[in-house]
Amino acid sequence: MTRVQELYPDNKIILREVGLRDGLQLVKTFPSTEAKQRWIRDEYAAGVRHFEVGSFLPAKTFPQFADVRDIIATVASLPSACGIALTLNERGVNEALASGVAEVATVVSATEEHSQANANRSRESAIANVKRLCELRDASAHKPVVNSAISMALGCSIVGPVDPMEVLRLTEKLFEAGVDMVAIADTVGYAGPRQVGELVAAAVKIAGTRPICIHLHDTRGMGIANASAALDAGARVLDGSLGGLGGCPFAPGATGNVVFEDLVFLCESKGFKTGIDIEKLIAVRGILQSEMPGEALYGGLARAGLPRGTAAKAA
Amino acid sequence: MTRVQELYPDNKIILREVGLRDGLQLVKTFPSTEAKQRWIRDEYAAGVRHFEVGSFLPAKTFPQFADVRDIIATVASLPSACGIALTLNERGVNEALASGVAEVATVVSATEEHSQANANRSRESAIANVKRLCELRDASAHKPVVNSAISMALGCSIVGPVDPMEVLRLTEKLFEAGVDMVAIADTVGYAGPRQVGELVAAAVKIAGTRPICIHLHDTRGMGIANASAALDAGARVLDGSLGGLGGCPFAPGATGNVVFEDLVFLCESKGFKTGIDIEKLIAVRGILQSEMPGEALYGGLARAGLPRGTAAKAA
C-alpha cells in the first residue's frame, strides 16, 4: 500500500481541518503553540485525522506559522493522523521535506493572469516547480504525499469565469508531474453547486483511484451546497475549518472555509460516515474563542445543536 | 387559466419573500407600515412578485401584523404581484377572505404530537379545517389561492425524525381537501439535502401540475444546500427572507429562513432565471437595518457581492 493510499483510503470520506493554516492566514492574533496543540488533540479525540498545520513561509511575514515544526510533530505523535504543510518555493519545499511532515501541499493558479499577479510566474513554470518538488520527494527519506491545489479553479478574482477545461488540463499536468493528489479550490467562493458538480465529476474521472480534494470557501453562502454537489459528483476528500475560520486576501470581508462542523453534519445526513463526533468538535471552538476573541466564528450546528433524535455518533 | 396557474406559472422558478410574515413573527421591534410598503415596492422593483405579508392573528398578541390589510392592499396595487396572508382559525379565514388577499395560507403539523402541542387539535381536525377553508374560498367573491403548509415535515421539534410517508399522505389529503398548493416546511431546520431531495421528488410527483412550495430554515446551515437539492428534485417554488430574517419559536437562537438573496444567486448559478436583480435586492436590506437595528441579518452575497464577471441581470 502506498503512502497516499494509507493516508487517504479510497473507501472513506475524509474531512480535513485546514483552520490551522488557511484559517490563520489572515488573522492578526493567533493561538499559542500550546493552544494549537490542544486544538489538534481535541479534534483528534473527536475523530479528525487530517490537519493542515501551517506553511513554510518567512516567519517574519507569517509569525503565525513560526511554530510549524512543533505542530507537525504534534500531529505526527498521534496514530494515523496526517499533518499537511504548505510550501510555495524551493526553500520551503526543502524545509518541509526535512520536517518529516506526512503531506506537502503546494498551489498553482488556474489562470495565467492570477499566476502572474499572485506568484509572478507562468502556470508552466509553476508546474515545473511541482515536478521538481515531486523529484525531491522521490529522493527524500520518508517520501511524503504531495498534493497540489489549483487555486481559483471555479472563478478567478482577476479574470472572473474560468474555463473548466483549463482546470482539467492542469489536473492532468499535475498528475503527470508526479503529485499524489490534486485539490480543486474555489478560492474566492464564486461557484454554485452545478458548476462544482460538473467540474468535480470530470476531475474525479481523470484522477481514477487517486484522490481529488475539494477546497471550498463560503464567501457567498454556497459552501455547504457546493460540498453537497461535490459529494454527489464523487468527491471523497473535502476541506473545512472549525467555525469557518479564515478570510480571503482576494475578497475583503469574506468568510473563510466551509464550516467544518456543518460539513460533518452534511456528510452524515447524506449517509457518509465521517467518524467525527459533532458535539466534541463544536466544543473545540472554545479554544478559538479564547485565543482569538476578535475573530468571527460561523456555523449552524454550533448555534442550534444537533436535531432532536439524532443518534449519538461514535468517534 | 385558473388563479393558481396565473400566479404560479409552471414553467417558471418562483421565489417568495416571506420576511414580512415569517421574518417578523418573533421580532421585538418591527418596521412601520410605511417602511413595509417601501420594502415591498423596492423588492418588486428588483423583480420579486410573491410576498407573504402578514397573518390574521389577534393584533394584541401580534402587533407586527395589525396593518395586514394595508400591506395586502399595497401588494394588490402592483401588477402581477401576489400577496399571501396566514390564517390559523375560522375567524382569521373569514377576515382573510374579506380582505381580498390573493392567497390564503394555513398550516397543518406533520406529526400528531406537534399538532396537539402546538394547535391543540389532531391532524384530522386540522385537515377538516383546511377543507372548510376551501369551501369558504369556493363560496367567496374573488376565490383566492389556498396553500397549506405541512410544518415539521422534515423533522419535528417534539418527536425528532418524521416518516416521509406521513408527509406524503398529508400532501394527498390536503389536495383532496381542495388546496391549490402544498408547502413542505423544514420548520426547525433539521434536514439535509438527501432527505429534502427524496421527499420533494415524491411530493412533486403527487402534486402533478399543482405547485409544491419548499419552505426551508437555515437553522443548521443547510438551507442553501437543501434548496439546491429541492430544485434538483423538481421544486419550482421556494421561500426565503431578505437577510435570512426571522427566528424559530422551537429553536431558540436559531436563524430564520433561507437568505433570499443567496437563494436567488443559487438559482441563477444553476441556470434558473428568477427575474430578480440581486444587487437591487441587497440594497433593500437597508430598510431592515434602519427599522430593526437589533436584528441580525445574514447572507453571503450581501457580504461579498456578486463574483467578478457576473453578467448584469435584467429585473
Side-chain angles (χ1 to χ4, degrees):
Chain A
M1 189 182 279
T2 65
R3 191 95 176 97
V4 66
Q5 287 168 339
E6 195 184 304
L7 292 172
Y8 291 90
D10 70 359
N11 57 347
K12 278 187 68 177
I13 285 285
I14 291 169
L15 302 182
R16 316 188 325 164
E17 167 62 270
V18 300
L20 289 118
R21 205 286 302 169
D22 203 1
L24 298 182
Q25 189 73 30
L26 293 177
V27 295
K28 289 193 179 65
T29 60
F30 50 87
S32 68
T33 302
E34 181 275 326
K36 287 185 186 177
Q37 290 167 331
R38 269 190 292 130
W39 179 354
I40 290 165
R41 289 199 185 103
D42 288 1
E43 284 204 9
Y44 182 85
V48 181
R49 291 293 175 268
H50 296 71
F51 299 90
E52 194 184 30
V53 292
S55 63
F56 285 94
L57 297 172
K60 219 167 68 181
T61 318
F62 294 99
Q64 59 268 54
F65 306 130
D67 60 2
V68 62
R69 289 171 187 80
D70 293 331
I71 306 302
I72 288 169
T74 301
V75 176
S77 73
L78 302 168
S80 304
C82 175
I84 304 149
L86 179 66
T87 64
L88 295 173
N89 57 31
E90 184 147 342
R91 184 194 52 75
V93 164
N94 287 319
E95 291 181 4
L97 291 171
S99 75
V101 70
E103 177 176 332
V104 177
T106 189
V107 182
V108 301
S109 295
T111 67
E112 198 59 32
E113 291 83 350
H114 185 262
S115 189
Q116 293 290 355
N118 189 52
N120 197 27
R121 63 187 178 200
S122 67
R123 292 177 299 174
E124 285 308 305
S125 158
I127 288 170
N129 288 346
V130 173
K131 189 157 191 281
R132 174 80 184 133
L133 162 55
C134 293
E135 288 161 2
L136 291 168
R137 175 216 40 212
D138 294 341
S140 72
H142 77 295
K143 295 186 178 45
V145 166
V146 170
N147 177 0
S148 177
I150 302 173
S151 68
M152 306 286 166
L154 290 138
C156 171
S157 57
I158 296 176
V159 299
V162 169
D163 179 359
M165 295 311 292
E166 278 295 285
V167 178
L168 298 173
R169 186 184 68 82
L170 291 170
T171 301
E172 284 177 339
K173 289 251 177 204
L174 288 166
F175 280 126
E176 281 167 25
V179 304
D180 299 293
M181 57 193 290
V182 169
I184 290 181
D186 187 14
T187 313
V188 283
Y190 274 22
R194 188 173 79 173
Q195 187 190 356
V196 170
E198 289 172 358
L199 182 60
V200 169
V204 163
K205 202 169 164 193
I206 287 170
T209 58
R210 298 166 295 196
I212 291 285
C213 171
I214 314 302
H215 179 92
L216 298 165
H217 281 253
D218 195 33
T219 320
R220 286 171 185 80
M222 301 294 123
I224 291 290
N226 289 346
S228 185
L231 289 162
D232 291 344
R236 293 297 174 264
V237 184
L238 291 98
D239 288 350
S241 68
L242 192 66
L245 187 70
C248 171
F250 310 107
T255 49
N257 297 102
V258 174
V259 175
F260 200 63
E261 54 272 37
D262 293 1
L263 186 58
V264 176
F265 182 79
L266 172 77
C267 290
E268 296 283 341
S269 83
K270 291 176 80 94
F272 296 110
K273 297 294 167 213
T274 63
I276 298 172
D277 182 311
I278 291 179
E279 287 176 331
K280 283 189 188 170
L281 190 62
I282 290 170
V284 186
R285 291 166 59 110
I287 298 172
L288 278 60
Q289 281 156 345
S290 63
E291 294 285 312
M292 297 179 287
E295 291 298 321
L297 294 186
Y298 300 90
L301 267 296
R303 200 169 47 212
L306 286 167
R308 179 182 293 267
T310 305
K313 294 197 177 52
Chain B
M1 190 182 279
T2 66
R3 191 95 175 99
V4 67
Q5 287 167 338
E6 193 184 306
L7 292 172
Y8 291 91
D10 68 2
N11 57 346
K12 278 187 69 176
I13 285 284
I14 291 168
L15 303 183
R16 313 188 328 161
E17 167 64 89
V18 301
L20 290 117
R21 203 287 300 169
D22 204 358
L24 298 181
Q25 189 74 28
L26 294 176
V27 295
K28 289 192 178 65
T29 59
F30 50 87
S32 68
T33 302
E34 180 275 328
K36 288 184 185 177
Q37 290 167 330
R38 269 189 293 131
W39 178 356
I40 290 166
R41 290 198 185 105
D42 288 0
E43 284 204 9
Y44 182 86
V48 181
R49 291 294 175 268
H50 296 72
F51 299 90
E52 194 184 32
V53 293
S55 64
F56 285 93
L57 298 172
K60 217 166 68 181
T61 318
F62 294 99
Q64 60 267 56
F65 305 129
D67 60 3
V68 63
R69 289 171 187 80
D70 293 330
I71 306 300
I72 287 169
T74 300
V75 176
S77 73
L78 301 168
S80 303
C82 174
I84 305 150
L86 179 68
T87 64
L88 295 173
N89 58 31
E90 184 146 342
R91 184 195 51 76
V93 164
N94 287 319
E95 291 181 2
L97 292 172
S99 75
V101 71
E103 177 176 332
V104 177
T106 189
V107 181
V108 301
S109 295
T111 69
E112 197 60 31
E113 291 84 350
H114 185 262
S115 188
Q116 293 291 353
N118 188 52
N120 196 29
R121 62 188 179 198
S122 69
R123 293 177 298 174
E124 284 309 305
S125 158
I127 288 170
N129 287 346
V130 173
K131 189 157 193 280
R132 174 80 182 132
L133 161 56
C134 294
E135 288 162 1
L136 291 168
R137 171 208 52 200
D138 294 340
S140 73
H142 76 295
K143 295 184 179 45
V145 166
V146 170
N147 176 1
S148 178
I150 302 174
S151 68
M152 305 286 167
L154 290 138
C156 171
S157 58
I158 297 175
V159 299
V162 170
D163 180 359
M165 296 310 293
E166 278 294 285
V167 178
L168 297 173
R169 187 183 67 81
L170 291 169
T171 301
E172 283 176 337
K173 289 252 179 205
L174 287 166
F175 280 127
E176 281 167 26
V179 304
D180 299 292
M181 57 193 289
V182 169
I184 290 183
D186 186 13
T187 313
V188 284
Y190 274 22
R194 187 172 79 172
Q195 187 190 357
V196 169
E198 288 171 358
L199 183 60
V200 168
V204 163
K205 202 169 163 192
I206 286 170
T209 58
R210 296 165 297 195
I212 291 285
C213 172
I214 313 303
H215 179 94
L216 298 165
H217 281 253
D218 195 34
T219 318
R220 286 171 184 81
M222 301 293 125
I224 291 290
N226 289 346
S228 185
L231 289 162
D232 290 343
R236 293 297 175 263
V237 184
L238 291 98
D239 288 351
S241 68
L242 191 66
L245 187 72
C248 170
F250 310 108
T255 50
N257 297 102
V258 175
V259 176
F260 199 64
E261 54 273 34
D262 293 0
L263 186 58
V264 175
F265 182 79
L266 172 77
C267 291
E268 296 283 340
S269 84
K270 291 175 79 92
F272 295 111
K273 296 293 166 214
T274 63
I276 298 172
D277 181 310
I278 292 180
E279 288 178 329
K280 283 188 189 171
L281 189 62
I282 289 170
V284 185
R285 291 165 60 111
I287 298 172
L288 278 60
Q289 281 156 344
S290 62
E291 293 286 312
M292 298 179 287
E295 290 298 321
L297 293 186
Y298 301 90
L301 266 297
R303 199 168 48 211
L306 286 167
R308 179 182 293 267
T310 305
K313 292 196 178 53

